[in-house]
Amino acid sequence: MKPDRSFEAALDDLLTSERMSRRRLLGRAGGAGLSLSGLSVLLSACGGVKGTDAGKTAPAASVSVNHPKTAIGDWTFSNWPLYIDKKVLKSFDKRYGGHVKYIEDINDNFEFFGKVRQQLQAGQSIGRDIVVLTDYMAARWIRDGFVEPIDRRNVPNAKNIVDNLATINYDPKRQYTLPWESGAIGLGYNIKKTGRELRSVKDLFDPKFKGKVTMLAEPYDSANTVLLGDGVDASKATLDQILGAIDKIDKANAAGQFRRFTGNDYTTDLAKGNVWVSLAYSGDLVQLQSDNPDLRFAYPEEGAMLFTDNMMMPKHLAHPYAAETMMNYVYDPAIQAKIALYVNYIPPVKGVQELVRKQDPKLAANPLVFPSDAVRAQLHPYPALSAADERKMQEAMSQVTGA
Amino acid sequence: MLRLSLRRRRSLLPWVFLGPGLLWLVAFFAIPLINQINVSLQTGDADTGYTFNWAFSTYTTAISDYHEQFVRSIGYAATATVLDFVIAFPLAYFVAYKAGRYKNAMLLLIVLPFFMSFLLRTVAWQLILADNGWVVSRLRDVGVLGSGDRLLASRTAVIAGITYNFLPFMALPLYVSLEKIDRRLIEAATDLYANRVTAFLRVTLPLAVPGIFAGSLLTFIPACGDFINAALLGTPRQFMIGNVIQAKFLNILDYPTAAALSFILMTFILVGIFLYARLLGSRALREAAL
C-alpha cells in the first residue's frame, strides 16, 4: 500500500479483496478464525448436548443403495461462500425442474459440524441435501455414519473424475463423497520482499524472513506441510510424526519466526506487505496475483498438501435423487468449466482445461488452477487419523497457537 | 372481562408491568445460564456426545490451562478502561460545559462510529496500523519505532483497538453525569474561596462519580470478553479469554470447557463489580442506576 493512497481507496480495496477470496473469509481454522455466524450454534448447542448412539454403525466395505428417479422438487444445497457461479444453479433448475435452495452457510468445517451435530446424532434430517466439507470433516462424517451413500447409477458423469482423486483414504471407492473443488497448500510470497523465488518448505523457517512469515493455524495444513518438507509422506503420517512437526513449528514460533497463525486472513497481511511469506491456499493466490503481480505461489519441491472439499448427502435427506442429479450435472466438463472460470480452485473433472482455454487462455495456463501432471503427482491428500488422534493433534496445535 | 377488586388489581399491576421483562430474562438469561452450568459439568467429546456427570474438574483444568489469557484479558481491559477515562473525561467535560451551540454536533460525532459495524471499524485499524502504512512510517521517521518494529500484531495495537472501540461507552455516561451537575454548586464553591482546581476536585469530580462508575463498567465488562480486537490486531500471544472461548466453542467443539470458561469470566466480573461498587460507595451505585 502506497502511503499516499486515500483511506477509502484502501478500505475499498480490502473489502473487494476479501470478497474475492471466495471463501473461508472468516478463517478456516483454529483460534485464528472469526466466527460471527456462530450465534445460532451457541443457541443450538445450549439445548443440551447429550449424544445418542443413533447411526453409529461403521460403513461397510461396499454398500448397496437405490435412489429411484423422482421429480426434483424443492431441495437444498449448502456450500461455502462464493464457491459456485450462480448461473449454474439457474441452468440446473431450468433443465431439470424443481428449485434448488442454495445456502452459503459453511464458513468453517468445525463450526458447521457444531451447528448440525445434534440432529445428525439424534438420527434426524438436517434439512440439507448436499453439504460440501473438507476431507478431514468428510472422513469424520463417514466414520460416524452421518452420510448417505451415493447411487452411482444416477451419477454416470462421475467417470470424469481426475485420476488422483478417484480414490481417497477415507472413502476408497468414493461411495459417499464426490470432490467439489481442490486446492493446494504451498508458499505464497512477495518476490520483491524475499528477493528470490521460494521452492522449499524450509524457506518458511529461513531466519532471513524472521517475523515476516505467517503459518496456518490448522494442523492438517501446517504440520503436514512441515512433514513433507522433512521428507515424510504426510498422507501416511502417524500421530507421533505430526506431533514432532508441531513441535518444530513451536520452536520456530518461540524464536519469533512467525508473525501470526492464521486462517485465510493471511491474505490481507500478504497483500499489504505486512508479511513476505505465507503458508497459503493456491486459490487465494490466484485472486491476489490479479491485484499484485509481485505475489507468487510455489508448490514446494518436497510436495504439497492437497485439500479437497467434497459433496456429500447427509443421512435422512429428503431429496437424494435431486442431489445426485446435481452431482452428475457438475461433473459434466462443460458445467465444471463454468465453475472453474469463477472459483479458481483446482477442478476435479477431466477435460475442463481444454474447455476453459477457449474462453480464458490465461486461466487455462495457470498452474494454480490446472497443475501439470508432474505437480499433481506431488500433491498429497490428508492422512486419515482416528478421532482420538485428531483431537490430540488439535490440542497440541492449540497449545502452540495459544488458543 | 375479569372483574377484580381494586386491591387485587393494584397488587397485580406490578407483575403486568414487569411481565415482559421477566419473561425476557427467564427465556434469554436464566434458562440459558442454567443450561450453561449444565454443559460445563458434562464430559465427553464431539463424536460420542457429552454426558452430564458433575465434572468439576473441567473448571480446575480450565483455570490452570488458561489463567494466562484470563490475566491478559483483565490487564488489557483495565488498561483500556483507564485510557478511555483519561481521553473521555476532558472530552465529556468540554462537551458538557464549553461546546455551546456545537454540543449536539459533538455528541453526534462521538456516536457516529456506531453507524459502522464494529468489525469493519477494527478491520480499518489493520490498514491504519499496517507496516507500510502512514502511521508506522511517520513513527519511524521520528524514531519512536525502529525499522524492524511494527504496530500491527502487537499488544499496543490490541489495547489501542479496545480503547478506540469502547470510547463512546465511557464518554456518554460521563457526559450525562457532568451535564446534570447544578452549576450553582460550583459557583458556591468558588464563592467560598475554593480555587478552580479545588472546586473541580471537591465538587465536580465527586458529583461525576455515577458517570465514572457506569462508564468504567460499560467499558471494562465488554472489553474483558472481547475477542475481535485480539483476533484482528493481535497474534496468539495477545489472545484474550474471549478468543479461547470462541475457539473452544466453534472450532474445537469442546463445549464443557467453553461453558466453564464463560462461567468463570462471568463470576469474576460479578465479584469485581461488587467490590468496585463497595469501593465507590453504594450511594454512587444507586445514583448510577437512576
Side-chain angles (χ1 to χ4, degrees), chain A residues 14 30 33 35-36 46 49-50 56 108 110-111 113-114 117 121 140 144 212 259-260 272 274 391 401-402, chain B residues 35 42 45-47 50 69 119 123-124 131-132 150 152 227 231-232 234-236 246 250-251 253 255:
Chain A
L14 174 94
S35 312
L36 296 181
C46 284
V49 233
K50 269 184 207 106
K56 265 274 113 92
D108 179 290
F110 295 98
E111 187 188 318
F113 177 51
R117 188 183 61 90
Q121 285 178 346
R140 189 169 183 167
D144 289 347
K212 295 289 181 187
R259 175 168 168 134
R260 296 210 301 144
K272 299 294 166 210
N274 296 334
R391 223 168 9 253
T401 60
Chain B
N35 234 310
Q42 295 176 352
D45 58 65
D47 287 277
Y50 295 95
Q69 282 86 349
L119 196 60
V123 168
D131 288 20
N132 304 324
R150 63 185 193 219
L152 199 59
F227 64 94
L232 291 179
T235 74
Q246 188 251 357
L250 294 178
N251 304 112
L253 306 181
Y255 304 126

Side-chain angles (χ1 to χ4, degrees), chain A residues 1-3 7 10-11 14-15 26 28-36 38 41-42 45-53 56 108 110-111 113-115 117 121 140 143-144 146 193 211-212 253-254 256 258-261 265 268-269 272-274 387 391 394-395 398-403, chain B residues 28 31-32 35-36 38-39 42 44-52 65-66 69 72 116 119-120 123-134 137-138 140 147-153 227-228 230-237 239 243-244 246-255:
Chain A
M1 178 178 142
K2 276 180 250 148
F7 172 72
L11 184 65
L14 174 94
L15 295 176
L26 298 176
R28 176 184 161 80
L34 261 181
S35 312
L36 296 181
V41 193
L42 264 161
C46 284
V49 233
K50 269 184 207 106
T52 69
D53 290 321
K56 265 274 113 92
D108 179 290
F110 295 98
E111 187 188 318
F113 177 51
K115 193 148 72 177
R117 188 183 61 90
Q121 285 178 346
R140 189 169 183 167
R143 192 203 302 141
D144 289 347
F146 298 154
K193 305 274 188 185
K212 295 289 181 187
N253 184 42
F258 305 125
R259 175 168 168 134
R260 296 210 301 144
F261 288 92
D265 46 333
T268 318
D269 277 337
K272 299 294 166 210
N274 296 334
R391 223 168 9 253
Q394 302 281 9
E395 270 162 24
S398 72
Q399 293 295 321
V400 176
T401 60
Chain B
F28 296 110
I31 294 174
N35 234 310
Q36 188 193 330
N38 177 11
V39 170
Q42 295 176 352
D45 58 65
D47 287 277
T48 51
Y50 295 95
T51 40
F52 182 85
D65 284 357
Y66 299 106
Q69 282 86 349
R72 194 179 289 144
M116 197 178 162
L119 196 60
L120 275 181
V123 168
W125 277 99
Q126 281 189 329
L127 290 187
I128 296 170
L129 301 178
D131 288 20
N132 304 324
W134 189 87
S137 307
R138 295 296 83 79
R140 278 184 190 144
S147 62
D149 294 341
R150 63 185 193 219
L151 271 183
L152 199 59
F227 64 94
I228 306 256
L232 291 179
L233 304 175
T235 74
R237 267 176 285 239
F239 274 7
N243 301 83
V244 177
Q246 188 251 357
K248 285 274 174 203
F249 206 101
L250 294 178
N251 304 112
I252 301 168
L253 306 181
D254 179 355
Y255 304 126

Side-chain angles (χ1 to χ4, degrees), chain A residues 73-369:
Chain A
D74 291 350
W75 64 287
T76 308
F77 187 161
S78 263
N79 206 344
W80 299 71
L82 304 164
Y83 219 17
I84 196 172
D85 183 342
K86 297 237 167 103
K87 283 184 212 130
V88 170
L89 300 168
K90 280 195 193 122
S91 64
F92 179 85
D93 282 355
K94 217 169 172 183
R95 180 156 161 196
Y96 295 98
H99 176 68
V100 50
K101 185 178 163 203
Y102 185 80
I103 35 182
E104 300 178 316
D105 64 343
I106 307 180
N107 284 302
D108 179 290
N109 283 294
F110 295 98
E111 187 188 318
F112 182 76
F113 177 51
K115 193 148 72 177
V116 297
R117 188 183 61 90
Q118 277 184 293
Q119 285 150 295
L120 289 170
Q121 285 178 346
Q124 293 162 359
S125 159
I126 61 168
R128 294 167 176 85
D129 299 298
I130 298 183
V131 297
V132 177
L133 295 170
T134 311
D135 290 322
Y136 45 86
M137 188 53 70
R140 189 169 183 167
W141 282 39
I142 294 173
R143 192 203 302 141
D144 289 347
F146 298 154
V147 190
E148 174 77 10
I150 299 169
D151 185 347
R152 291 289 283 263
R153 282 166 296 185
N154 294 331
V155 196
N157 284 340
K159 65 177 191 302
N160 297 329
I161 187 170
V162 291
D163 296 332
N164 64 329
L165 290 175
T167 172
I168 192 143
N169 47 21
Y170 58 85
D171 186 11
K173 293 181 180 170
R174 289 283 181 195
Q175 295 177 98
Y176 299 92
T177 58
L178 271 178
W180 173 256
E181 296 290 314
S182 298
I185 292 136
L187 308 164
Y189 58 100
N190 186 327
I191 184 87
K192 277 225 173 119
K193 305 274 188 185
T194 57
R196 65 181 174 92
E197 300 282 358
L198 305 187
R199 306 205 176 290
S200 165
V201 173
K202 297 189 175 66
D203 290 326
L204 291 167
F205 297 90
D206 187 336
K208 273 197 249 74
F209 308 144
K210 185 180 163 189
K212 295 289 181 187
V213 184
T214 59
M215 195 54 148
L216 290 170
E218 172 54 57
Y220 270 114
D221 297 334
S222 51
N224 286 320
T225 301
V226 170
L227 279 181
L228 288 175
D230 290 341
V232 177
D233 179 358
S235 293
K236 300 193 178 77
T238 63
L239 178 66
D240 281 344
Q241 288 173 320
I242 291 175
L243 293 181
I246 291 176
D247 200 41
K248 187 171 171 181
I249 294 171
D250 189 24
K251 289 206 174 87
N253 184 42
Q257 181 70 11
F258 305 125
R259 175 168 168 134
R260 296 210 301 144
F261 288 92
T262 68
N264 89 331
D265 46 333
Y266 67 85
T267 51
T268 318
D269 277 337
L270 195 61
K272 299 294 166 210
N274 296 334
V275 298
W276 302 350
V277 187
S278 292
L279 190 58
Y281 300 113
S282 56
D284 288 341
L285 264 289
V286 178
Q287 281 303 319
L288 292 173
Q289 279 172 336
S290 60
D291 295 337
N292 181 353
D294 293 331
L295 296 180
R296 304 283 162 90
F297 180 88
Y299 294 104
E301 59 192 2
E302 299 97 336
M305 294 311 291
L306 174 77
F307 74 83
T308 303
D309 294 328
N310 303 276
M311 295 183 277
M312 343 193 265
M313 297 187 286
K315 270 273 180 212
H316 312 290
L317 76 169
H319 307 95
Y321 180 70
E324 283 156 354
T325 309
M326 176 56 100
M327 291 179 184
N328 191 52
Y329 190 60
V330 298
Y331 267 68
D332 176 342
I335 303 300
Q336 184 64 224
K338 283 185 191 157
I339 299 176
L341 281 165
Y342 183 87
V343 302
N344 297 343
Y345 276 90
I346 306 172
V349 177
K350 282 182 195 163
V352 174
Q353 192 170 11
E354 294 71 41
L355 293 168
V356 167
R357 192 168 288 135
K358 285 178 204 153
Q359 285 196 49
D360 188 347
K362 231 176 116 194
L363 187 71
N366 191 333
L368 303 194
V369 183

